[in-house]
Structures are given as structure tokens and as C-alpha cells.
Amino acid sequence: MNVADILAAKNAVAISIKPNDTIQALCHLLKERKIGAAVVSRDGVTIDGIITERDIAFALATKGGELASMPVSSLMTKDVITASPTDDPGRVASTMLARSFRHIPGSDNGRYVGM
């Protein structure tokens, strides 16, 4: 079993949001899709960043009412750790545990393939 098998089993769809979209648009996307994170991508293929519900919650404490209109790029994590489809799930889980990640995007030769 590898990451590709897991993505196939959960029918993973590569959901992304553009860097200039607002946090409010992101919140609608997360609610609509019932997900907790989205890859940030200019073109829906490359990974420019990742943003999670945790990023939003932490920013709310300091940004308040202005948060909804801020661009996703202002809160996203730019240095994204990804998993390859051929990676061992145990290794990926270990990385996620060590880094306190709940989400890790899959990337195949620079193409975003699912969360």
C-alpha cells in the first residue's frame, strides 16, 4: 500500500483556491466541501501554499473583522511538505505526527494530486 492507494480509496479530488481569493471565499469552500484545508494554487496544478482552518482560527485572534477580506496568500504556509504517490503511508503519518499536521497534499512530479 502507498499514498496513491489511499488517495484512490478516498476518491481524492485536488481541491484548491487561488492566492488572491479572500479568506471568506476560502471559508465557503471549506464549508461546502466539508474539508479542513485547501492547497493554494495559481493554476490548480502547482502547489503555491496550503491553508487550514487552524490558520484561520489563529488569525481571527489578531486580525478580527478584517480577516474575511484578506487574501488567502496572506495566511497560507508557503513552505509546503508534500507526499509522493509512491510514499509509504507509515512514513507520511510519522511526518504528520512529528510536525502536528492534520493534512498533507500529494504531489506527483510537481502536480497537485489530492489531500
Side-chain angles (χ1 to χ4, degrees):
M1 177 176 254
N2 58 26
V3 169
D5 296 328
I6 293 171
L7 291 173
K10 68 180 237 176
N11 294 322
V13 176
I15 297 168
S16 65
I17 191 157
K18 295 191 180 308
N20 292 332
D21 286 346
T22 64
I23 297 297
Q24 184 169 6
L26 169 68
C27 289
H28 285 292
L29 175 68
L30 297 179
K31 180 179 183 256
E32 176 185 301
R33 296 297 200 140
K34 297 182 177 147
I35 55 175
V39 160
V40 182
S41 176
R42 292 174 299 244
D43 58 12
V45 176
T46 57
I47 299 173
D48 299 315
I50 187 169
I51 189 159
T52 70
E53 57 198 358
R54 186 182 293 174
D55 296 324
I56 298 164
F58 289 177
L60 185 58
T62 57
K63 304 296 183 191
E66 68 187 73
L67 181 62
S69 62
M70 292 175 62
V72 169
S73 61
S74 67
L75 293 182
M76 73 181 189
T77 298
K78 294 176 183 151
D79 187 20
V80 182
I81 294 174
T82 62
S84 167
T86 59
D87 283 345
D88 174 67
R91 186 199 65 77
V92 175
S94 178
T95 298
M96 291 174 72
L97 183 62
R99 302 299 234 28
S100 296
F101 292 164
R102 290 182 39 225
H103 310 90
I104 192 164
S107 177
D108 189 10
N109 294 317
R111 288 185 61 89
Y112 172 45
V113 295
M115 189 79 69

